[in-house]
Amino acid sequence: MQFPIYEIPYLGNGMTIALDAVLHVIISHGIAIGVITLIVISEYIGFRKSSMDWENFAKEFLKVTIIIPTGVGAVTGVGIWFITSALAPNGIGSMLRIFFWPWFIEWIVFTLEVIVLLIYYFTWDKWRGERKKQHIYLGVSYTLLAISSAFLITGILGFMLTSDGWPWDKSFWSAFFNPSFLPQLLLRASMAFALGSIFSSAFLLVTQRNSAFRKEALRLFGKVSMVSLFGIIIFSWWYYGVVPSSFKTHTIFSILTSRFSQQPEIFYAINAIGIFIFFLFALSAMRGPVFSSRILIIPALLLCIGFIMEFERVREFIRGPYLMPGYMYANQILLKESSFLDKEGTLENSYWYNMTTNKPDIISQGGNLFARNCSMCHTIDGINGIKTKVKERPEDGIFVILGHMHEMAPFMPPFSGTEQERRIMARFLYQLANGKILIEAPSRFIQIKGGVK
C-alpha cells in the first residue's frame, strides 16, 4: 500500500521527528526513570532513618515532577506515533509488522506506569505508619515498570541500527535481541540516572535550606552521578564496538557536518571537556561544597542533555542510507523495489501522483520525485535545504550527481527512478536554485517566466 507524502516546510520531516523524539527521551529517561527512582530512594531513606527532611524532599520533588512524565511525556510519546505515521508511514508500518507484540505490551506497560505513578502520588499522605512500606513498594513497582518499558523499546531501536540476520532469516528473536540491544539498554539506563541525579541536585540546591541535609543528599546524588558517568563511558565504548564498521565512518560527519568534519579533533575535544565538567560536578557533589556544585550544576545539566542529543543524532544518522538496514532505505523505498523503479519509473508507479496530477509538468514531476527520494532528510530552502546544495551547479552536473550521490555520500540512498526521471529532477532542482521556480507557499511551487517546461 502506498501512502501520500507529506513535507514539513523549512523545518523538514526528519528534524520534526527528531525534536519530538529527543524531548520524549529526556523526559522518559531523565524524569520517568532517573528522577522518580531517586524520589523512591529518598522516601526509603526517610523511612529507614525516620527523617522528615528526606520525606519532605521526596514529597515536594514528586509534586513538581509528576506532571512531566504523566502529561508532557505522554503527549510527546503519542506525538512520535502521530508524526511518524504521517511522515514515515512505510517505515513505521514495517516496524509494526516485526515488533507488534513488544509495542503492544509496551503500551500496556506505559498505561500501568501512569496509573501506578498517580496512585503513588495521591496516597503519599494516606499510607503512613504500617502502610508506608507498601507505599515504597508501590514506588519500586513503578520503577520496574519504567525499566520494562525501556527494555521493550530498546530492542526496537537497536534493530534499526544493528538488524543482524533479520533481513535473511526474518526471525523476531534475532531482530529484537540484536547485537546493540544490551549495551544500548545499559547506556540508556546510565544516561537516565545521570540526568535524574542532576535534576535532583538542582531541585535540592534551589529548595533546601537545611545545610546538613543538603550536604547529605547532595553526596548521594553525586555518587549516582559518578557511577552513571563511568557507566556512560563504558557502555558507550561497548555500544560503539558492536556498530558495523561501515556505519562508524559516518560518526564525525553526523555531528560536525560537512563544514567541520575535516577537523575531528573538535568532536573529541568537546566530548572530553563535557566528561571532565560532569566529573567535576559529581566530585564536588560527593564532597559536599554547595557553592561549587551550584556553579557546575547548569553546565553539567546542559552537557548531559547535549550528550543525549548527540547520541540520538549519531544513532539515527550513521545507519544511513537505511531506515532498516538490509531492507528499507531512509526514504522508505525498499531495497528490492529500487531496481524495479529504476527500470519501470517512480512516477509511473506512484499511485498518489497519478491520482492528483492531470497535466504533468516539470513542477509536479520534479516535486514528486524530490518528495519521494529526498524529503525525509532535505527541505527545499529550510534546514538542510536542497536549493543551497545545488546552487551554482549546472543542470548536467546535478544530473550526474543524482546518479552517483550514494557513492559520493554513502549515507544517502541511491536515486530511484529512470534516467529520464533523473533528468527531470535535475532540471527541477536547477530551475529551483536559479529562481525559475519559486515557492509561493509551503509545498506549493509556481513557475515564472523563463522556466523550461
Side-chain angles (χ1 to χ4, degrees):
M1 177 180 178
Q2 287 193 14
F3 296 90
I5 300 173
Y6 296 102
E7 299 176 67
I8 304 297
Y10 313 123
L11 187 61
N13 292 6
M15 183 61 72
T16 301
I17 296 172
L19 289 174
D20 182 72
V22 168
L23 177 59
H24 181 71
V25 167
I26 291 172
I27 294 171
S28 64
H29 289 30
I31 306 295
I33 296 178
V35 166
I36 302 299
T37 299
L38 290 175
I39 287 174
V40 175
I41 291 173
S42 298
E43 183 189 17
Y44 169 73
I45 294 173
F47 172 73
R48 184 170 58 86
K49 292 186 173 182
S50 298
S51 170
M52 289 305 298
D53 288 325
W54 280 103
E55 170 78 12
N56 292 332
F57 168 78
K59 179 182 176 181
E60 293 302 315
F61 198 17
L62 182 61
K63 283 183 180 180
V64 173
T65 58
I66 187 172
I67 192 63
I68 300 175
T70 58
V72 183
V75 170
T76 53
V78 172
I80 292 175
W81 281 101
F82 178 80
I83 294 169
T84 53
S85 294
L87 304 183
N90 291 329
I92 200 70
S94 296
M95 297 285 286
L96 268 171
R97 283 189 285 273
I98 304 169
F99 298 107
F100 173 81
W101 286 110
W103 253 322
F104 181 76
I105 296 170
E106 197 277 333
W107 293 335
I108 296 173
V109 169
F110 176 74
T111 302
L112 290 174
E113 277 184 63
V114 174
I115 293 172
V116 170
L117 186 57
L118 290 173
I119 295 173
Y120 181 69
Y121 172 75
F122 285 110
T123 57
W124 191 290
D125 292 324
K126 297 178 181 178
W127 292 12
R128 292 186 174 276
E130 294 182 357
R131 299 198 70 184
K132 191 61 175 175
K133 284 186 178 181
Q134 296 177 11
H135 192 260
I136 294 172
Y137 291 148
L138 188 64
V140 172
S141 69
Y142 167 82
T143 297
L144 294 176
L145 286 170
I147 293 173
S148 298
S149 180
F151 178 93
L152 292 164
I153 293 298
T154 300
I156 301 169
L157 296 177
F159 165 80
M160 296 176 72
L161 179 61
T162 54
S163 55
D164 200 26
W166 180 85
W168 297 273
D169 63 27
K170 296 295 189 293
S171 167
F172 165 80
W173 300 109
S174 66
F176 189 85
F177 293 104
N178 57 82
S180 66
F181 167 72
L182 185 57
Q184 184 175 172
L185 179 63
L186 295 172
L187 175 57
R188 288 184 179 277
S190 298
M191 290 191 296
F193 285 107
L195 195 54
S197 63
I198 294 178
F199 281 135
S200 301
S201 299
F203 183 78
L204 176 77
L205 291 171
V206 169
T207 62
Q208 298 301 309
R209 296 292 179 266
N210 185 326
S211 59
F213 166 71
R214 187 168 53 195
K215 288 185 177 181
E216 180 186 3
L218 194 61
R219 192 172 298 114
L220 170 65
F221 300 144
K223 290 177 181 178
V224 174
S225 296
M226 187 66 77
V227 172
S228 300
L229 174 61
F230 282 104
I232 288 172
I233 294 171
I234 294 169
F235 299 131
S236 293
W237 188 271
W238 182 10
Y239 177 78
Y240 194 69
V242 302
V243 173
S245 298
S246 59
F247 291 164
K248 291 179 183 177
T249 57
H250 307 158
T251 303
I252 302 297
F253 190 95
S254 68
I255 299 300
L256 301 183
T257 69
S258 57
R259 179 172 296 182
F260 300 108
S261 59
Q262 301 304 311
Q263 299 172 282
E265 62 275 8
I266 297 175
F267 174 83
Y268 298 113
I270 291 175
N271 280 276
I273 292 171
I275 290 172
F276 180 67
I277 291 176
F278 192 90
F279 174 80
L280 286 180
F281 163 75
L283 186 64
S284 173
M286 288 171 60
R287 297 186 66 182
V290 173
F291 179 74
S292 59
S293 296
R294 280 178 172 161
I295 293 175
L296 293 167
I297 188 73
I298 298 300
L301 175 61
L302 295 176
L303 288 166
C304 193
I305 292 174
F307 178 79
I308 291 175
M309 296 171 65
E310 177 188 68
F311 170 71
E312 296 296 337
R313 164 69 175 174
V314 170
R315 183 184 63 80
E316 288 287 332
F317 186 93
I318 64 175
R319 70 167 182 260
Y322 305 109
L323 183 64
M324 299 164 62
Y327 181 72
M328 180 182 286
Y329 286 121
N331 54 18
Q332 301 181 78
I333 294 175
L334 300 178
L335 271 66
K336 63 183 181 182
E337 284 183 318
S338 188
S339 57
F340 170 79
L341 296 176
D342 290 346
K343 182 180 179 181
E344 301 296 331
T346 295
L347 295 175
E348 183 69 24
N349 292 279
S350 174
Y351 172 81
W352 292 98
Y353 169 76
N354 290 294
M355 280 289 292
T356 57
T357 303
N358 296 320
K359 296 180 179 180
D361 55 22
I362 186 65
I363 293 178
S364 60
Q365 292 178 329
N368 186 275
L369 289 168
F370 171 81
R372 188 78 188 275
N373 280 278
C374 313
S375 63
M376 197 62 203
C377 302
H378 292 279
T379 62
I380 295 296
D381 58 356
I383 295 176
N384 205 21
I386 198 69
K387 281 178 63 176
T388 304
K389 295 185 180 299
V390 300
K391 193 173 180 61
E392 299 181 359
R393 294 185 183 275
E395 182 181 318
D396 288 339
I398 298 172
F399 174 76
V400 173
I401 289 172
L402 289 175
H404 297 276
M405 59 186 180
H406 59 291
E407 299 167 354
M408 299 167 62
F411 47 82
M412 294 179 65
F415 176 81
S416 290
T418 63
E419 187 170 333
Q420 181 183 0
E421 288 176 331
R422 182 154 59 99
R423 173 61 70 182
I424 290 171
M425 185 166 162
R427 185 170 301 173
F428 170 77
L429 295 178
Y430 174 76
Q431 292 191 30
L432 195 65
N434 288 275
K436 296 179 180 180
I437 295 175
L438 298 179
I439 304 176
E440 189 179 47
S443 299
R444 181 183 175 189
F445 301 102
I446 57 171
Q447 193 166 17
I448 65 172
K449 186 176 180 181
V452 181
K453 296 185 178 180

